[in-house]
Amino acid sequence: MALIELSHVSKTYGKGETAFRALRDVTLSIDQAEKVAIIGRSGSGKSTLLHILAGIDTVTDGSYCFMGQAMRGISQNQAADLRNTHFGIVVQQFALIKEYTVVENVELPLLYRGVPKRQARKKALAMLERVGLHRFEKRRPYELSGGQQQRVGIARALVNEPEVLLADEPTGALDQTTAAEILALFDEIHRSGLCLIIVTHDLEVAHSCQRIIQIADGQVVTP
Amino acid sequence: MRSVASVDVIRKLRSPIAIVCQSLRHMGLSSILIVVQLFFGFLSLLLAIGLFFGINSFANQVQFLMPNNTLSINVDISTHAMDGNRTSYRKLLALKQKIAQLNDVAGIGMYDLSSSFGFTQAPENEVGKLPMSQFSTQPIALVSNTFVQHMKVATQGEPLSAITHFSRKNSKVFPIWVGSALASQYPLGTRLIAMTYYTPPVGSTAEATVDEMPCQVVGIISSDAEFFANNGANLGAFSLQSCTNLILGPVSMFMWNKKSSEANLILSDNMQVYPLPGKEAELKANIYAILHQRKMHGMVHSVEDQLNALAKQQKPSIVSTFLVAVSLLSLSVLGHISVLLSSLIKRRKEFGIRLLIGARKASLLQLVMAEILGLYVLALILSLGIMLNLSDWLDKWLVVINLPTILLAVGITLFLSLLASIIPLRRLSRQTTVRLIQGE
Ligand SMILES: Nc1ncnc2c1ncn2[C@@H]1O[C@H](COP(=O)(O)OP(=O)(O)O)[C@@H](O)[C@H]1O
Ligand SMILES: [Mg+2]
């Protein structure tokens, strides 16, 4: 059984004349420990797909099963809990809370999960070490470079030991060298057994993956 | 799945300071604005409530001490200088005896001039019916804390077996009456310093009454001779300044020491008459007749009249403090809503991030609520600190700052600030996760 199964998924934004179909009849499945790139032009529906996978958004038509469980009809709270425990999400603009220090950012998912403070701190520090930022834990996000901020984002995404890491243009805001470092980190994460789904329009990033899913106008196309 | 949707909040609730810090961190200036608004809103509300309750509790205690049908006779004896006072005191005594003989009188007391050296006498056969008998034939005690110090100096080592002092803080009752009650605890011959709220005539009235008293008065202090000269003792009986006036008191003491006649000014005096049940109107008419017959000027009021007069006198200040409180609180509520709304807009990205990593929406609301509560507590501590420090001074203006009034003010402002948070929080909770995550 595949980890992620989408069948005939459509997503329509708005209603009536202004209705816009961002995804049409998307059917795909992704296995555990796969490393998949979702590519396509800007506006093709990549982020929409990622949002649906992460349970941030819901499908208009079709069905989405995660770990064999239908995602349709689950409550907002259940979706939040799924995101917290099974998904790690990394975005282009890093999405760090600027009022929090690096380590406070990383431990937050653990705290939402109910892990005691001290234990959470310990785990967050270990995760920071894994992404090579153990000496930066007391800094604020804006005191770090883009590459370092993205590492914090990745550490936060991994800290709850999710099954899937979803990344939306993770290298989009980074220069080439830094991007390469992040890709290397992804590689290492993948080797540890995680399923990686990377949305990108960067072909170099895409080619570092085992499989490429191309989207055009909301539809999956065979490259 | 798990019950700790709001760990972040619960963790912070453990320390109020942490919550305040958290609010300051996330809301910055906005949180200071909220605190300031709450601060003034709470302050004015507490003031208004304190005044409202202060007047009411004062009235209640007066009524507790004096039966409702008690009549106060405020007699104008318009005399100056010592000799005149002796004469007028005799006139008063004569008046009192005359009134006491009326058929509709259950009892009579002279509470100002005479109760300073206190006696309330009922006709022998009526004593059992007299509700005020506990005040009879007792000298008065002292008034304010600060006065005690002044008096020790002023009596220059004159040995005192008892200095009783009265503070309105402990007993919200007019001190003369309390004094009467207190003094009943002292044995005959106890040397007391008496504090009255106007200047008694040294050497005349004092002497005259000392004979009738079980205790020996070694000093008499007036707090506000002029005030009472102008307003009449009756009115003054309800004024607090008179009891705790810290400036005029020592001045009068000094003058008394010098035996200055200027300190010995009495313009009016006050008696209490207790009518037999149902005889109030009759008695009132009879007293007026006696006054008229003796060519004395006076007014006869019921306790109710006096309390109504007090309420009337205080009504504008109650109304205006409530108006101020209401407008400040409305401003505070509006400000609260707008500050919260704008800060929630500013924090959309942060909320989006929290949702992204798996926070439940309810936990976001709880987070904001906890922060608001933190700010509320901060404002509360600040304003309570100020109010409690001012409570002695406020007490003079009949404003009571005590647990019930504080709780009421806390309850109302808490309710309002929670109410003011509903609109912004509802708006937050209506946002879709996607939109918050996109920071729109
Ligand atoms: N909330 C929304 N309402 C309406 N249209 C939307 C919304 N979100 C995305 N879209 C539209 O859906 C299309 C796909 O968007 P998106 O998935 O963000 O594209 P990509 O990530 O591939 O650039 C775009 O044309 C975008 O304008
Ligand atoms: Mg996109």
Side-chain angles (χ1 to χ4, degrees):
Chain A
M1 184 188 59
L3 186 66
I4 286 168
E5 270 185 357
L6 294 182
S7 75
H8 308 292
V9 163
S10 295
K11 176 72 193 178
T12 308
Y13 288 115
K15 278 201 178 94
E17 285 193 3
T18 54
F20 181 83
R21 289 189 84 186
L23 289 179
R24 316 157 185 247
D25 200 29
V26 173
T27 298
L28 56 85
S29 75
I30 297 169
D31 282 330
Q32 229 153 350
E34 254 195 296
K35 187 177 180 189
V36 181
I38 297 174
I39 60 166
R41 287 194 186 170
S42 177
S44 56
K46 306 182 295 292
S47 295
T48 305
L49 179 58
L50 199 86
H51 287 157
I52 285 173
L53 292 179
I56 294 167
D57 216 340
T58 50
V59 302
T60 315
D61 269 312
S63 74
Y64 166 31
C65 281
F66 176 72
M67 292 170 86
Q69 196 199 339
M71 294 285 279
R72 205 165 187 175
I74 65 168
S75 71
Q76 276 201 25
N77 281 347
Q78 284 171 313
D81 295 348
L82 269 180
R83 272 201 297 286
N84 183 257
T85 42
H86 297 295
F87 294 106
I89 303 166
V90 174
V91 299
Q92 183 175 358
Q93 293 304 331
F94 324 128
L96 302 175
I97 297 178
K98 62 180 187 304
E99 291 87 358
Y100 283 171
T101 61
V102 163
V103 68
E104 282 173 329
N105 266 287
V106 174
E107 74 191 357
L108 205 51
L110 292 164
L111 296 177
Y112 276 118
R113 193 177 195 166
V115 175
K117 173 93 183 124
R118 190 172 295 182
Q119 217 175 312
R121 179 58 56 102
K122 224 172 117 188
K123 251 188 131 175
L125 286 173
M127 197 49 76
L128 279 172
E129 182 149 15
R130 188 170 159 198
V131 300
L133 281 178
H134 51 286
R135 276 174 311 156
F136 296 86
E137 80 244 20
K138 290 243 168 65
R139 296 227 195 154
R140 301 283 151 136
Y142 49 80
E143 293 168 330
L144 301 180
S145 72
Q148 288 169 328
Q149 288 190 51
Q150 194 56 294
R151 281 167 193 273
V152 177
I154 292 168
R156 186 184 61 192
L158 294 178
V159 79
N160 257 343
E161 294 165 18
E163 275 75 21
V164 188
L165 187 77
L166 298 166
D168 194 349
E169 311 268 12
T171 58
L174 305 176
D175 62 70
Q176 262 187 335
T177 347
T178 324
E181 284 167 21
I182 295 294
L183 285 183
L185 183 58
F186 277 151
D187 233 22
E188 188 205 313
I189 293 164
H190 178 235
R191 276 199 301 275
S192 73
L194 243 72
C195 171
L196 241 74
I197 301 172
I198 305 172
V199 163
T200 183
H201 58 254
D202 183 341
L203 284 180
E204 206 168 314
V205 176
H207 287 306
S208 75
C209 297
Q210 303 163 324
R211 177 148 77 107
I212 296 177
I213 297 171
Q214 190 172 351
I215 296 198
D217 290 333
Q219 280 177 305
V220 178
V221 291
T222 26
Chain B
M1 192 166 178
R2 69 206 134 100
S3 56
V4 220
S6 52
V7 212
D8 203 33
V9 179
I10 292 162
R11 167 167 65 97
K12 264 148 196 147
L13 270 179
R14 284 204 200 113
S15 140
I17 296 166
I19 293 182
V20 173
C21 291
Q22 159 105 355
S23 321
L24 291 173
R25 221 161 142 188
H26 285 301
M27 297 199 220
L29 265 181
S30 312
S31 57
I32 295 172
L33 243 155
I34 290 184
V35 170
V36 169
Q37 284 166 343
L38 273 171
F39 172 80
F40 284 111
F42 181 78
L43 213 68
S44 56
L45 181 68
L46 187 56
L47 208 62
I49 292 176
L51 186 60
F52 181 75
F53 278 91
I55 287 169
N56 275 320
S57 76
F58 180 69
N60 284 341
Q61 287 171 58
V62 168
Q63 278 167 327
F64 173 74
L65 277 178
M66 298 181 87
N68 232 346
N69 67 346
T70 305
L71 296 176
S72 280
I73 312 171
N74 186 213
V75 192
D76 181 3
I77 49 178
S78 303
T79 50
H80 296 262
M82 297 187 206
D83 289 353
N85 284 329
R86 185 185 275 279
T87 315
S88 60
Y89 182 68
R90 292 207 175 105
K91 271 168 92 177
L92 275 176
L93 277 184
L95 176 68
K96 193 188 130 208
Q97 273 151 15
K98 185 78 187 168
I99 293 173
Q101 284 159 11
L102 291 171
N103 284 334
D104 33 19
V105 168
I108 184 167
M110 287 168 70
Y111 268 116
D112 297 342
L113 174 97
S114 45
S115 85
S116 317
F117 327 104
F119 54 93
T120 298
Q121 285 169 358
E124 289 294 281
N125 57 338
E126 299 284 0
V127 169
K129 296 182 199 166
L130 184 62
M132 297 295 287
S133 57
Q134 72 267 31
F135 294 123
S136 59
T137 332
Q138 301 301 342
I140 185 76
L142 276 196
V143 183
S144 101
N145 297 326
T146 329
F147 271 178
V148 176
Q149 301 308 320
H150 286 293
M151 275 183 279
K152 275 182 181 160
V153 175
T155 52
Q156 291 171 350
E158 177 85 16
L160 299 170
S161 1
I163 293 181
T164 306
H165 61 94
F166 168 82
S167 148
R168 257 187 61 81
K169 245 186 142 168
N170 307 324
S171 165
K172 304 275 171 194
V173 184
F174 187 65
I176 291 292
W177 301 324
V178 170
S180 306
L182 275 179
S184 67
Q185 298 159 18
Y186 294 99
L188 236 118
T190 305
R191 294 160 71 84
L192 285 175
I193 278 196
M195 165 72 200
T196 101
Y197 54 89
Y198 65 102
T199 312
V202 174
S204 53
T205 326
E207 262 173 24
T209 30
V210 163
D211 299 338
E212 298 177 46
M213 285 195 320
C215 304
Q216 185 188 0
V217 173
V218 296
I220 301 159
I221 297 175
S222 160
S223 57
D224 196 345
E226 225 165 3
F227 180 87
F228 288 97
N230 293 334
N231 295 289
N234 221 14
L235 216 185
F238 294 104
S239 163
L240 273 182
Q241 285 147 288
S242 55
C243 314
T244 45
N245 190 312
L246 300 183
I247 299 166
L248 282 172
V251 168
S252 307
M253 181 72 208
F254 176 78
M255 304 225 287
W256 173 75
N257 248 3
K258 296 251 165 192
K259 303 230 183 302
S260 153
S261 64
E262 275 166 66
N264 306 327
L265 177 72
I266 301 178
L267 287 182
S268 62
D269 194 24
N270 193 326
M271 286 180 211
Q272 270 70 40
V273 187
Y274 313 107
L276 288 170
K279 298 278 188 179
E280 293 85 357
E282 226 168 294
L283 181 60
K284 204 166 169 177
N286 283 334
I287 293 169
Y288 272 122
I290 292 175
L291 284 172
H292 184 71
Q293 191 192 348
R294 304 197 154 218
K295 295 195 171 60
M296 292 173 93
H297 293 286
M299 296 286 286
V300 185
H301 313 275
S302 65
V303 170
E304 226 178 328
D305 288 342
Q306 295 177 62
L307 289 177
N308 286 342
L310 171 77
K312 204 171 158 192
Q313 183 195 325
Q314 296 284 1
K315 205 173 176 183
S317 44
I318 294 183
V319 169
S320 52
T321 44
F322 264 109
L323 280 180
V324 169
V326 165
S327 40
L328 279 177
L329 278 174
S330 327
L331 266 181
S332 160
V333 166
L334 288 179
H336 197 106
I337 294 176
S338 67
V339 165
L340 212 57
L341 271 180
S342 70
S343 105
L344 289 186
I345 288 167
K346 267 189 230 145
R347 293 176 67 180
R348 293 176 69 92
K349 192 172 167 227
E350 179 207 329
F351 293 144
I353 295 169
R354 288 177 186 273
L355 290 174
L356 194 71
I357 59 177
R360 293 179 179 190
K361 240 181 201 172
S363 83
L364 294 191
L365 300 185
Q366 283 170 33
L367 179 72
V368 176
M369 282 320 289
E371 288 175 10
I372 292 168
L373 278 179
L375 297 179
Y376 175 82
V377 169
L378 183 67
L380 200 74
I381 291 170
L382 290 178
S383 40
L384 266 185
I386 288 184
M387 288 302 258
L388 288 175
N389 269 306
L390 288 181
S391 70
D392 275 351
W393 179 78
L394 288 170
D395 196 60
K396 283 194 202 178
W397 305 96
L398 285 180
V399 177
V400 207
I401 307 295
N402 56 14
L403 198 62
T405 53
I406 289 172
L407 285 181
L408 191 61
V410 167
I412 292 175
T413 33
L414 187 61
F415 174 74
L416 285 179
S417 57
L418 292 184
L419 203 68
S421 312
I422 287 179
I423 298 174
L425 288 183
R426 272 183 65 141
R427 194 172 281 196
L428 171 64
S429 71
R430 283 207 191 122
Q431 297 294 328
T432 64
T433 309
V434 184
R435 293 196 62 174
L436 279 173
I437 285 175
Q438 286 166 348
E440 274 166 16

